[in-house]
Amino acid sequence: MYENGGNTTHRMLDGHPGLFVYPFESQVGTGAGNDFLTSYVPIRYRWPEFPSDVTPQQAYEMFWDEELKTLLRVPGRSKFKDCGLQMDEKERIAAFVKACAGKPANRATFVTAYFQSTFETWKNVRRTGKEQYYVGYNPVQVFDTDKILADFPDGHVIHVARNPYSGFADTSKRPFPLGIKRYAWTWNLCQHMALTYQEKYPDRFHLVRFEDLVADPAATMEKLLKRLGLAMPPECLHPSFNGVKLEQVYPWGTIRIPTPEANLATANELSAAQKREMKTETVVMQRLLGYDKFL
């Protein structure tokens, strides 16, 4: 869900020696699919679909991937222009095409090639030599959990929930924010689906509350990593990019300082009327996630 701490969690996983963590939002949506959620959330945050006759070169271009492609194509316009990432997109495309050679033209092949080609051509990525898994991130990716886990039988989905007051207050800082009712009902649906998938895939779907993450990073990350079958290194106690500790998460997300105090202060940026409306619209899911006493 938007501004729910997914970027913070993604950045905290960045330092893990066993993971290739995508540098930005992975934005794997392609716009080729059409279902009952098409008008509900942005195309870039959906699981990709491809025409049956697509070529690898076409598949690469279909991935939305706005944040990385913008940095590679028009770096001066990217909010990540100072992040230091070094990559040649022509080399990335060539690596993508090579990774698809001799394999079925399907989602699993193209998504694997998408991540593989990124890390093969990221010239200054900090490697440990122990990396085993790829980690992407998108808000509202929970909607496509069934497809993700079907395409990758050994894969996992991590869903991060945050109280809707702070989430709405942060998303309201964007140039084109959702209205309060639209935000509330998108938040409701995300959490409903997350709780459902937690029951449906108990060993592969993991729900993390942002409030738990900032209150006790060590315990929360250790519990999550244990469920993923991974050790807990000290590098996962703070957000980082390419292994370098971040003093603030922004511009990877609207959340700047991930602390309980900042989280509560953000919620209190809402007016009394906004808080009442948010409570009215989300009270059922708040109770199920333990947020009914947050404010």
Side-chain angles (χ1 to χ4, degrees), residues 173-189:
K173 298 166 186 173
R174 292 189 175 274
F176 304 99
L178 297 178
I180 190 168
K181 185 165 287 190
R182 177 63 181 268
Y183 185 90
W185 280 96
T186 306
W187 186 88
N188 282 335
L189 182 56

Side-chain angles (χ1 to χ4, degrees), residues 34 49 67 107 114 159 181 187 232 266 283 289:
N34 186 25
E49 298 287 354
E67 294 188 340
R107 290 187 310 225
Y114 178 81
H159 174 80
K181 185 165 287 190
W187 186 88
M232 170 65 189
T266 301
V283 64
L289 287 164

Side-chain angles (χ1 to χ4, degrees), residues 2-241:
Y2 316 117
E3 315 307 343
N4 266 223
N7 267 310
T8 300
T9 309
H10 192 221
R11 290 299 98 216
M12 292 179 76
L13 290 168
D14 173 81
H16 198 288
L19 301 175
F20 280 124
V21 177
Y22 202 77
F24 314 121
E25 286 185 351
S26 37
Q27 298 184 352
V28 293
T30 60
N34 186 25
D35 62 15
F36 70 103
L37 291 167
T38 298
S39 65
Y40 205 62
V41 296
I43 291 168
R44 62 185 179 274
Y45 297 144
R46 298 301 306 280
W47 198 239
E49 298 287 354
F50 301 91
S52 59
D53 60 348
V54 70
T55 66
Q57 292 90 340
Q58 291 169 333
Y60 173 87
E61 291 297 337
M62 288 181 69
F63 281 107
W64 196 277
D65 196 26
E66 179 183 17
E67 294 188 340
L68 181 50
K69 286 179 178 176
T70 297
L71 178 65
L72 297 179
R73 297 174 183 183
V74 282
R77 298 183 185 178
S78 171
K79 63 182 179 181
F80 299 109
K81 61 184 177 182
D82 298 320
C83 76
L85 181 146
Q86 297 174 15
M87 184 183 297
D88 184 315
E89 190 175 21
K90 291 181 180 179
E91 293 178 2
R92 186 189 185 206
I93 294 171
F96 181 97
V97 172
K98 182 179 179 181
C100 296
K103 297 176 183 176
N106 58 28
R107 290 187 310 225
T109 293
F110 294 141
V111 171
T112 300
Y114 178 81
F115 285 91
Q116 181 178 325
S117 62
T118 299
F119 288 95
E120 283 184 0
T121 58
W122 183 353
K123 300 181 188 300
N124 59 335
V125 65
R126 296 193 177 198
R127 292 179 178 270
T128 65
K130 302 176 182 178
E131 294 88 354
Q132 302 178 69
Y133 309 107
Y134 297 115
V135 182
Y137 162 68
N138 285 310
V140 301
Q141 193 77 81
V142 64
F143 290 154
D144 291 314
T145 293
D146 283 326
K147 292 180 180 180
I148 296 168
L149 297 183
D151 285 349
F152 295 98
D154 296 328
H156 293 256
V157 172
I158 302 167
H159 174 80
V160 183
R162 184 189 188 194
N163 79 85
Y165 307 101
S166 301
F168 178 67
D170 267 340
T171 204
S172 295
K173 298 166 186 173
R174 292 189 175 274
F176 304 99
L178 297 178
I180 190 168
K181 185 165 287 190
R182 177 63 181 268
Y183 185 90
W185 280 96
T186 306
W187 186 88
N188 282 335
L189 182 56
C190 280
Q191 311 319 329
H192 188 168
M193 296 183 82
L195 291 170
T196 300
Y197 288 133
Q198 189 178 43
E199 293 286 334
K200 187 175 181 179
Y201 304 107
D203 297 323
R204 303 177 63 200
F205 188 94
H206 315 283
L207 198 161
V208 176
R209 293 193 342 151
F210 177 73
E211 286 71 19
D212 298 330
L213 182 67
V214 296
D216 193 341
T220 304
M221 290 300 293
E222 184 173 16
K223 179 180 178 181
L224 173 62
L225 289 167
K226 183 177 181 180
R227 287 180 56 81
L228 296 171
L230 298 170
M232 170 65 189
E235 292 84 357
C236 287
L237 290 175
H238 55 259
S240 65
F241 174 72

Side-chain angles (χ1 to χ4, degrees), residues 165-166 263-271 275 295:
Y165 307 101
S166 301
N263 191 38
L264 180 59
T266 301
N268 282 321
E269 292 172 4
L270 300 184
S271 67
K275 291 176 183 177
L295 288 179

